């Protein structure tokens, strides 16, 4: 009974990875569906071949024990079996190769005009840029990509430092981001939702804390989000947030971060123009709340050791004010 319990435990542990926000089998996008179909075909065909081999092995062992094994290893049946195995192997490999080829074409082919979004991997966060023919309509965000449902989106992938790998299992396969080279990846969401992704290539100390969210919106919600992100920040009316803005501009923060509409134009760190509207901070490390913003600003190295944000000395009042200011940037 103990053996059965152990086997059941490992079986249930294994199948637990077949669903959830980062499962390649829980698919909601056309490229991911094509990949799942290909994986399923490989598993069934290879599993069937494995069973045939095992049955043949058992049959041979039984015959050898009962003395029925042929004393002529090069007899006609041996030649027939070998020839059949070689032919079947050729057919299977050719078929799987063709299936892989057409799957690759399917996941790379756009069904219409694809939206273009630039994604740059940095240690350890994602710089997202929405290009536009009108430079005034371009904007940057970080660690969160919004896309419209049912539309092809072509991601232009680059790296600022080391090799990263962009992977949102429910929407598409993996694609590397290589320094000095631009790669592309087509994604498409078939229904609204929030899809979590991850850097899938070891890129340093905080590799496991380099998550990304893809938010699939309906057309109306996506249009509203675009319009809100293109807005620059105006003067805040909240006294505490206004005091926090002054602290932000007076401290080294403004040298590394941009808040469009204000005098801060740093490009080393993420664009903070609408940081309060993002669901997470620190590339998926914490939910965006006033408390988590304060904790991150107070001591980013404790929360995410090795990241490039230094600890800026702040009084308790300054920390409260700047946290309020960050939270107000919607």
């Amino acid at each position: 009974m103990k053996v059965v319990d152990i086997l059941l435990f490992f079986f249930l542990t294994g199948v637990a990875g077949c669903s959830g926000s980062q499962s390649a089998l829980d698919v909601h996008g056309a490229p991911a569906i094509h990949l799942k179909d290909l994986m399923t075909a490989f598993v069934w065909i290879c599993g069937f071949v494995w069973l045939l081999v095992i049955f043949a092995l058992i049959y041979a062992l039984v015959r050898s024990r009962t003395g029925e094994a042929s004393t002529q290893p090069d007899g006609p049946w041996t030649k027939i079996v070998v020839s059949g195995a070689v032919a079947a192997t050729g057919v299977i490999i050719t078929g799987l190769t063709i299936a892989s080829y057409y799957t690759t074409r399917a996941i790379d082919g756009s069904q219409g005009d694809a939206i273009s979004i630039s994604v740059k991997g940095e240690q350890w966060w994602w710089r997202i840029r929405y290009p536009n023919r009108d430079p005034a309509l371009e904007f940057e965000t970080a660690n969160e990509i919004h896309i419209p449902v049912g539309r092809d989106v072509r991601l232009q992938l680059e790296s600022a430092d080391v090799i990263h790998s962009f992977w949102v299992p429910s929407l598409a396969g993996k694609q590397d981001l290589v320094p000095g080279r631009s790669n592309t990846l087509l994604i498409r969401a078939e229904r609204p939702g929030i899809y979590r992704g991850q850097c899938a290539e070891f890129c340093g100390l905080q590799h496991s804390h380099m998550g990304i969210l893809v938010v699939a919106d309906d057309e109306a919600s996506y249009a509203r989000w675009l319009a809100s992100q293109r807005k620059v920040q105006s003067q805040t009316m909240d006294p505490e947030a206004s005091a926090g803005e002054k602290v932000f501009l007076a401290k080294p923060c403004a040298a590394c971060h941009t808040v469009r509409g204000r005098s801060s134009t740093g490009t080393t760190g993420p664009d903070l123009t609408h940081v309060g509207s993002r669901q997470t901070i620190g590339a998926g490390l914490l939910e965006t709340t006033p408390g988590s913003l304060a904790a991150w600003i107070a001591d980013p190295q404790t929360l995410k050791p090795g990241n490039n944000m230094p600890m800026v000395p702040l009084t308790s009042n300054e920390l409260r004010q700047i946290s309020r200011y960050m939270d107000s940037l919607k």
Side-chain angles (χ1 to χ4, degrees):
M1 185 63 180
K2 290 183 178 181
V3 175
V4 174
D5 291 340
I6 292 173
L7 292 175
L8 181 62
F9 169 77
F10 281 110
F11 172 75
L12 294 177
T13 302
V15 298
C18 297
S19 62
S21 61
Q22 285 192 221
S23 172
L25 301 180
D26 184 24
V27 293
H28 300 283
I33 292 171
H34 290 309
L35 289 173
K36 180 184 177 182
D37 291 342
L38 181 64
M39 287 190 295
T40 302
F42 265 78
V43 169
W44 280 106
I45 293 173
C46 292
F48 178 71
V49 171
W50 179 81
L51 287 175
L52 287 180
V53 171
I54 294 302
F55 287 145
L57 178 61
I58 293 173
Y59 177 71
L61 290 174
V62 170
R63 287 196 63 192
S64 65
R65 282 181 172 274
T66 58
E68 297 179 11
S70 174
T71 57
Q72 299 179 355
D74 294 327
W77 279 110
T78 300
K79 294 180 180 178
I80 292 173
V81 170
V82 170
S83 300
V86 171
T89 301
V91 170
I92 291 171
I93 292 177
T94 301
L96 293 178
T97 300
I98 293 173
S100 300
Y101 170 76
Y102 280 105
T103 298
T104 302
R105 292 196 61 181
I107 63 178
D108 287 340
S110 174
Q111 299 178 9
D113 292 335
I115 298 170
S116 181
I117 299 175
S118 173
V119 179
K120 180 176 285 188
E122 308 206 16
Q123 289 180 304
W124 290 272
W125 59 285
W126 306 92
R127 187 188 298 272
I128 316 298
R129 184 171 63 86
Y130 286 73
N132 195 284
R133 293 179 180 178
D134 182 356
L137 297 179
E138 289 189 0
F139 64 89
E140 275 193 10
T141 181
N143 306 317
E144 188 173 300
I145 303 175
H146 282 247
I147 64 174
V149 171
R151 292 279 303 278
D152 289 332
V153 178
R154 191 170 298 280
L155 303 179
Q156 305 292 334
L157 305 175
E158 298 178 349
S159 173
D161 34 55
V162 300
I163 297 176
H164 301 282
S165 182
F166 184 94
W167 189 32
V168 182
S170 292
L171 298 181
K174 302 175 186 177
Q175 183 61 273
D176 284 347
L177 294 79
V178 182
R181 177 177 176 178
S182 179
N183 288 335
T184 62
L185 178 68
L186 191 73
I187 65 173
R188 178 187 176 99
E190 301 299 339
R191 67 176 182 85
I194 300 174
Y195 305 98
R196 195 182 190 283
Q198 179 69 36
C199 177
E201 179 78 23
F202 180 73
C203 56
L205 180 63
Q206 293 297 325
H207 161 68
S208 62
H209 290 149
M210 191 173 170
I212 190 166
L213 293 180
V214 176
V215 182
D217 298 316
D218 59 72
E219 286 287 349
S221 298
Y222 178 69
R224 286 194 299 269
W225 180 84
L226 276 182
S228 68
Q229 293 294 308
R230 285 169 175 160
K231 293 179 180 177
V232 299
Q233 289 295 340
S234 57
Q235 185 70 41
T236 177
M237 301 301 292
D238 185 306
E240 190 168 54
S242 181
E245 180 183 359
K246 294 177 182 177
V247 175
F248 176 82
L249 295 175
K251 296 291 184 177
C253 315
C256 293
H257 298 281
T258 290
V259 176
R260 284 178 282 120
R262 318 312 297 155
S263 59
S264 53
T265 56
T267 58
T268 303
D271 187 306
L272 301 180
T273 306
H274 297 284
V275 64
S277 68
R278 296 171 197 162
Q279 299 189 40
T280 66
I281 60 173
L285 185 66
L286 299 169
E287 290 186 16
T288 304
T289 65
S292 63
L293 285 166
W296 176 262
I297 295 167
D299 193 357
Q301 293 303 319
T302 294
L303 294 175
K304 198 168 181 176
N307 80 87
N308 291 328
M309 181 172 169
M311 185 186 298
V312 178
L314 296 169
T315 66
S316 58
N317 283 338
E318 289 175 334
L319 178 60
R320 186 181 66 254
Q321 292 165 352
I322 198 172
S323 301
R324 174 60 183 158
Y325 175 57
M326 291 291 105
D327 187 55
S328 72
L329 297 178
K330 303 294 187 180

